[in-house]
Structures are given as structure tokens and as C-alpha cells.
Amino acid sequence: MPYSPIGQSIQVLDTPALLIDLDKMENNIQKMAARCRDSGLHWRPHAKGHKTPAIAHKQLCAGAIGITCAKLGEAEVLADAGISDILVANQVVGREKVARLVNLRRRADVMVAVDDPVHIRAISDAATDVGVNVRVLVEVDVGMKRCGVPPGAPTLALAQEADAAPGVVFAGIMGYEGHAMSLDDAAKEAACKKAVGELSKTRNLIEDAGLCVGIVSAGGTGTLAFTPDFPGITEIQAGGGIFMDTYYRDGLHVRGLEHALSVLTTVISRAAPDRAVADAGRKTTSSHPSLPEVKDRTDVVVTGLAAEHALLSLTNSDIEIGDKIQFISGYSDMTVFLHDQIYGTRDDRVEVVWDILARGKKQ
């Protein structure tokens, strides 16, 4: 029987290793679910950060109505793990991908974002060919200037085209106020109010034209403090906060959630009294847009990452070669996908090991 670390101290793990503090993650899940529930909204958390069906099931058990993902390949992994209600919050383009989409619809109630008639026609042709109906959300540009049609009449026109297309079910609209994430609280609140207001007015316009807008989807962890408070939306997509990281805390000003994700690393060199090196570089943890920080120590600071090495600055430190320390993730979205497994821990002992099954699912 192969060796299992279950029940063992995290100190026995070889490094670098990706860790999740289960108590903290589960608390974060409950807090985010409660934030949506108390605002009268559904929660459809994003899985692009954790890429792990076992974690998605924890979110569903906490009250999520479905799961959001960024890639069709992630949706396929989630469906294979028994998850049905899945939003691909992205445009699915190309004959091969659309064929996968409509065939995925046979085993999951997947829906996708569209922002052009080209998307609708491609899905319609493929869906009618195999005899399925695919739900779509028209993506609205609420200020981020990425994907999405302008609010108002352009969104109505695309909704009407979706509603008329065989094999396509117009399910609603979505928008992402990503341009507001890094603003200070006052400016962020104002930007969220404006973004949700655009979605709300557009929803009213579409419904006045006789179409049902069952879903109005928006929100991220960086705006979770404000977006749910404004009327007009039906669900929130925020998901990354279940891990929390230094970027969410310092760059996006997220409060009230605990740092759950860390990287266990070993000190491999101490060439001088004021510096050391650990075995977790950019191939293990993200340095952009925020460096990781050392957990529970003030005498050791991460000053930079090379490909395989973390550069550490020491102040009156007793750290030695062979010591294991934990890095709080700088940005979880750019850290998890670097690993094959997550070690779920409780009280610094390994409770579960999860394969990151949607890792590498870029298509």
C-alpha cells in the first residue's frame, strides 16, 4: 500500500507542498454563503481558483446553488464529479469547443456567457444538431472594458436573438465589476452601485420587452462588501475569498476572511546572518500581484522569488537550514494551478489529500 500522510503532522511532508487550513477555509465558505443569503441572493462561487471538485461540493453543501468556472475544461471536470448547475463565465468559441459544450449539456445543466451573435449562432447550430438546449447569459460590460456588450439596447438586441435561436435558452445577464476591485472603499462602493445599476436598468428594459430575465449574475470577492447591497441582481459569483491571500487583503482591501491557503517550504541555505533561501519559488507560488508572506513569524520576510527559490530577509532570526516555514499565498488564483495536490489540514495534521483535478484545463 502506498505511503499516506493522513493523520501525520505537516512537518513530515516533503516540500514544497500546498496546504489548506480546513477550519479557516470552511469558516470563509460559511461567511461568504451567509453574506449572499442574508442579502437575499443566490451564491454561485467561482472555482477557477481552487479547481477542485471536493471544494466545490463543500460550497454547495454550504448553500451555493451552482458553481462558476472560467473554462469549458473546468466545467467538464466539475460535471464528471457530479455537479450539474455550472456557469462558464466566458465565451466558448470554436467548432471543437462548442461541440464539447453541447455534449456536456447531456450530463450537466451548463450555461455560458455570450456577447455576440456569432456565439449564439454557433451554439444554436450545434445544440439543435444533437438535440439539446443550452442556457446562455448575455454578458454586459458594466465598466471593466473587457468582454460584454454595452448595457441597455445592445444587450436587449442580443437577448432577443438568443431567445429566438433554436437550441438556445436565454437565461439572463451577467456583468463583472472588476474595474472596482482595487479601489478604496468609498470609490469602490460608488463603482459597484453604478455597475449594478446598469445591470438593473438593462434587466428592466429586457423584461419590458417581454423576455424573462431569470438570472442577473455579478460580483467578486473584492466587491463582496458592497455589490450584494444594491437591488437588481440575483446571484453573486465571488469565490476566491475562501482561500484569502495577501493580494485580497492588501490590494483589494478584503476584510473579515482568514488566510487559509499556504505553501509549506524548507530553508535550504543560510549564507549570511541576515538572509536565507527556501525551496519555493515562482514555480510554486505567485509573486504577482503580491508577494507571499511568512506565516506566524516577524523575523523572516519574503523579499523576492526566483524560479525555484524564495529569497528571505532575516532580522535577529534563529532560523536554520532544514527548518520548515509556511508562506501565506500572495495570490491564490496564480498559486493553486502550479500544484498537483492540496493537503487539507486541521490543527497542523493532514486530514485529506485532494487532487487538483481541473489543473491544466485551459481549453
Side-chain angles (χ1 to χ4, degrees):
M1 183 176 180
Y3 166 76
S4 171
I6 302 297
Q8 301 296 308
S9 166
I10 62 172
Q11 293 299 317
V12 308
L13 296 175
D14 202 0
T15 63
L18 188 65
L19 309 180
I20 275 290
D21 184 311
L22 294 171
D23 285 331
K24 291 180 179 179
M25 182 187 73
E26 290 163 1
N27 286 340
N28 290 341
I29 288 173
Q30 291 298 330
K31 288 178 181 178
M32 295 179 74
R35 173 68 172 120
C36 297
R37 184 174 58 251
D38 293 347
S39 301
L41 302 175
H42 295 304
W43 187 34
R44 189 188 299 276
H46 226 303
K48 66 183 175 66
H50 63 68
K51 300 181 182 293
T52 306
I55 295 175
H57 278 292
K58 283 184 174 288
Q59 294 171 312
L60 292 168
C61 287
I65 63 162
I67 300 294
T68 302
C69 57
K71 296 289 187 175
L72 183 61
E74 295 171 346
E76 290 168 330
V77 170
L78 293 170
D80 289 344
I83 295 170
S84 178
D85 196 338
I86 304 167
L87 166 64
V88 181
N90 213 336
Q91 288 69 31
V92 174
V93 175
R95 183 164 53 187
E96 294 81 3
K97 282 192 178 70
V98 174
R100 286 164 53 202
L101 169 66
V102 298
N103 281 279
L104 176 61
R105 178 63 185 88
R106 291 188 180 278
R107 64 185 193 273
D109 191 7
V110 63
M111 60 181 167
V112 299
V114 297
D115 70 358
D116 193 281
V118 169
H119 304 137
I120 295 170
R121 289 195 293 268
I123 295 170
S124 176
D125 290 344
T128 54
D129 186 53
V130 301
V132 297
N133 293 313
V134 177
R135 292 186 296 163
V136 301
L137 298 182
V138 175
E139 183 167 3
V140 184
D141 179 9
V142 292
M144 192 177 182
K145 307 300 181 187
R146 194 170 65 181
C147 295
V149 292
T155 301
L156 169 60
L158 199 59
Q160 290 172 324
E161 183 154 350
D163 184 66
V168 173
V169 177
F170 171 67
I173 59 178
M174 61 168 273
Y176 179 53
E177 67 282 16
H179 58 291
M181 296 289 169
S182 61
L183 300 176
D184 63 60
D185 282 357
K188 182 183 294 190
E189 183 175 12
C192 290
K193 182 177 182 179
K194 181 178 179 182
V196 174
E198 294 286 4
L199 286 174
S200 182
K201 287 187 291 185
T202 300
R203 175 188 185 174
N204 291 339
L205 180 69
I206 296 170
E207 290 184 334
D208 287 345
L211 300 184
C212 175
V213 184
I215 296 172
V216 182
S217 189
T221 295
T223 57
L224 190 59
F226 301 109
T227 294
D229 294 333
F230 302 115
I233 57 176
T234 64
E235 65 178 40
I236 294 291
Q237 296 180 17
I242 68 167
F243 285 163
M244 200 50 181
D245 51 47
T246 63
Y247 173 56
Y248 280 128
R249 182 193 66 201
D250 300 333
L252 305 187
H253 319 299
V254 175
R255 295 179 288 274
L257 300 174
E258 302 176 88
H259 295 298
L261 186 73
S262 66
V263 173
L264 184 69
T265 181
T266 300
V267 177
I268 61 172
S269 174
R270 185 171 180 179
D274 63 346
R275 61 185 171 87
V277 176
D279 65 350
R282 287 195 299 271
K283 294 181 181 179
T284 298
T285 187
S286 173
S287 61
H288 178 78
S290 180
L291 280 168
E293 66 180 41
V294 181
K295 181 180 178 182
D296 298 331
R297 298 192 70 132
T298 59
D299 59 329
V300 185
V301 176
V302 180
T303 58
L305 298 179
E308 307 289 356
H309 303 99
L311 310 180
L312 308 177
S313 175
L314 310 179
T315 303
N316 299 322
S317 179
D318 61 356
I319 200 168
E320 298 179 351
I321 292 174
D323 285 351
K324 291 181 178 179
I325 55 178
Q326 292 183 56
F327 291 167
I328 297 171
S329 172
Y331 184 31
S332 55
D333 277 24
M334 298 297 291
T335 295
V336 173
F337 82 101
L338 300 171
H339 296 260
D340 293 319
Q341 295 178 316
I342 301 178
Y343 294 88
T345 71
R346 216 179 293 273
D347 298 324
D348 287 335
R349 291 191 175 273
V350 179
E351 180 176 305
V352 66
V353 182
W354 289 317
D355 291 329
I356 303 170
L357 294 175
R359 182 189 184 219
K361 303 299 182 182
K362 301 180 180 69
Q363 297 177 338

